Amino acid sequence: MHRILALAVAFSSITLTNAFAHHPLGGEVPQTLLHGFLSGVGHPVIGFDHFAFVVAIGLIAAFHKQRAIMPAGFVLGTMAGTMMTISAIALPFAELVITASVIVAGVIAMRGKLTSIVPMTAGATVIGLFHGWAYGAAVVGAEATPIIAYLAGFGLVQMAIALLAGYVAVNMWKATSAASLQPRLAGALMAGVGVAYMVELVEGLVFPAM
């Protein structure tokens, strides 16, 4: 398992690029309902740290009877976090918390043990505040209509990603329990992405661009 995690970290380090900083619509504030929705759909996919966390949440929740509860808690948290950004409410160390959340979620998925859904949902909701707070920067200054569409876009796509991850683990990989191999490999990859991004973040703090 240590070798798997090491390979995942190495693979992630190679594949991660400046896509973290890219945003749909070229970073412009959405002006219409359609632009708001497209921007919302794009952010959880383009932001690979966010994407990795949503996949990990889907894998963690996959073997619960109510597999949608944990992802739904996270999505509600992201919506609240976005509204915090719009309301100019700051969250400390947001990038570090987001990165750490990817690592922790990946490790939990990799452990291959069924988790207690209530504390995990509560934790996912709190972490969602930080992910959503980062999402909110894209719609600061936008009108109400594109903001609502933006929330709908990233809410729907995150639920779809999480549920699809669970579906793939259970139905396509034929995993019968949280201890099955494939979800653990996927969790290792999520943890690897988080580690790689953490290294990139720390490097940026230690060696800031002049």
Side-chain angles (χ1 to χ4, degrees), residues 104-149:
V104 172
V107 169
I108 292 173
M110 184 177 59
R111 287 176 65 237
K113 295 182 179 180
L114 195 64
T115 56
S116 178
I117 194 164
V118 173
M120 282 299 301
T121 301
T125 303
V126 172
I127 294 300
L129 293 175
F130 290 86
H131 284 259
W133 187 84
Y135 291 162
V139 289
V140 172
E143 299 294 332
T145 297
I147 289 176
I148 293 172

